[in-house]
Amino acid sequence: MDRDFIGYGPNPPDPRWPGGARIAVNIVVNYEEGSEESFPDGDGLSEGGLTEGGGGAFASRDLGAESMYEYGSRVGVWRLFRILQEAGVPATVFGCARAFERNPEVVRALVANGWDVCAHGDRWIRHQGLTEDAERAAIARAFDVISGMSGEAPAGWYCRYAPTERTRELIVAHGGFLYDSDSYADELPYWTRVSGRDHLVVPYSLALNDGKFSRGNAATAGQFFEFLRDSFDLLHEEGATHPKMMSVGLHCRLMGHPGRAVALRRFLEHIRAQDGVWICRRVDIARHWVREHPPVAG
């Protein structure tokens, strides 16, 4: 877990994106609804993370918060899926196993679309509260459930917010994952050494994430769209000499509301009108990096 403050430095490698693209854009739909902590699941609390807010000032069951999560799985996910389908754009689903189990139709839809899954845990909980054995079991169960329901093993792993100091070792020891996204440290994939093995990291972003709505950093679709557009435009400009990747994170209970979903539609219209853009799944980025930039021996 040594920290690296240098990375690629001032001269990052040319990723050699397909077709000579200036930028690789990956849209991520986080599907967590039904996997959050709740009284019905015996947790003794009601999760309110990444919702409209609400009560939270009492210790008993928060039916309002529960219904906000239900909105994401009943309504929001289908609105996001429709917008992506209408644009003809592939996506990656950061999926929690328990959420998939409670709404198998979502899994059937993403499979039909040809999208990939990055395992987002068995449940949407902070792994810091788990013992090593419990975390190992949670990783294995997520992998097995997602593989069984989708017919394909999840290529990647991503914890809620941040991993534990042992998460990456457990991912590598499991042996079924191509990469993890438990890093916000770069705009290109990179290799690291874990337990004597080479391991690929495909960094994610919380800056380019609709969590801004729940934290008061964005109030309108226009504000979020402008932030995404400006981020894309600079990366696209820089891509003439230093191509990078852009991960956009969405949540069904946030971006799935109509007044926010238009930001996604506008953003997709904007990037599809530009040349030199590779809109892809996360597994496509990982496989490309393995092929074009394998780890250096020794």
Side-chain angles (χ1 to χ4, degrees):
M1 295 299 297
D2 293 337
R3 300 181 69 188
D4 180 359
F5 292 94
I6 298 175
Y8 290 123
N11 298 301
D14 181 353
R16 298 191 291 274
W17 298 135
R22 290 184 171 204
I23 182 173
V25 179
N26 175 230
I27 306 296
V28 173
V29 177
N30 289 267
Y31 191 68
E32 304 152 346
E33 287 79 2
S35 66
E36 78 280 2
E37 292 180 303
S38 68
F39 277 86
D41 283 335
D43 299 303
L45 61 89
S46 290
E47 173 65 69
L50 298 183
T51 65
E52 307 302 314
F58 51 90
S60 58
R61 186 175 179 182
D62 189 338
L63 298 179
E66 288 182 19
S67 67
M68 292 176 196
Y69 275 86
E70 291 160 13
Y71 176 92
S73 64
R74 291 164 59 122
V75 180
V77 65
W78 303 119
R79 177 168 288 120
L80 297 183
F81 276 24
R82 283 194 300 271
I83 290 174
L84 290 161
Q85 288 170 325
E86 290 166 0
V89 168
T92 294
V93 175
F94 278 15
C96 296
R98 190 74 60 90
F100 279 174
E101 288 178 314
R102 285 177 162 159
N103 197 346
E105 191 64 33
V106 168
V107 183
R108 287 191 284 270
L110 72 89
V111 169
N113 288 333
W115 299 347
D116 64 317
V117 179
C118 174
H120 196 16
D122 176 27
R123 301 186 63 197
W124 194 60
I125 59 175
R126 292 176 174 85
H127 275 222
Q128 287 77 8
L130 300 177
T131 65
E132 180 173 343
D133 287 344
E135 185 175 17
R136 182 182 295 107
I139 292 169
R141 186 176 189 279
F143 183 89
D144 292 343
V145 169
I146 293 170
S147 299
M149 293 188 69
S150 68
E152 185 174 352
W157 173 271
Y158 175 66
C159 279
R160 175 181 176 174
Y161 299 143
T164 69
E165 292 184 22
R166 62 178 175 255
T167 301
R168 188 162 285 159
E169 289 184 358
L170 293 175
I171 294 298
V172 171
H174 179 278
F177 298 94
L178 177 61
Y179 70 91
D180 78 61
S181 286
D182 282 329
S183 172
Y184 313 102
D186 214 302
E187 292 171 345
L188 286 175
Y190 60 88
W191 293 95
T192 187
R193 294 283 290 178
V194 180
S195 302
R197 307 183 206 175
D198 294 307
H199 177 69
L200 182 64
V201 179
V202 182
Y204 189 46
S205 172
L206 291 184
L208 302 167
N209 193 290
D210 64 3
K212 292 179 177 296
F213 287 110
S214 69
R215 300 186 180 104
N217 295 322
T220 68
Q223 291 173 332
F224 190 60
F225 164 68
E226 288 179 7
F227 186 77
L228 293 182
R229 180 201 62 199
D230 291 348
S231 300
F232 170 86
D233 286 351
L234 183 59
L235 287 169
H236 188 265
E237 176 187 323
E238 292 178 344
T241 54
H242 296 90
K244 299 289 181 63
M245 60 176 282
M246 179 179 185
S247 300
V248 178
L250 311 174
H251 295 80
C252 306
R253 60 193 179 278
L254 290 177
M255 185 58 61
H257 286 273
R260 297 177 181 138
V262 293
L264 174 60
R265 178 176 289 166
R266 292 173 188 167
F267 179 67
L268 295 178
E269 290 173 350
H270 179 69
I271 65 175
R272 291 178 69 225
Q274 315 301 316
D275 294 326
V277 182
W278 182 37
I279 307 175
C280 57
R281 305 174 304 170
R282 207 162 192 81
V283 68
D284 298 326
I285 292 174
R287 289 172 178 166
H288 175 86
W289 206 262
V290 170
R291 183 173 58 255
E292 294 291 330
H293 299 277
V296 177

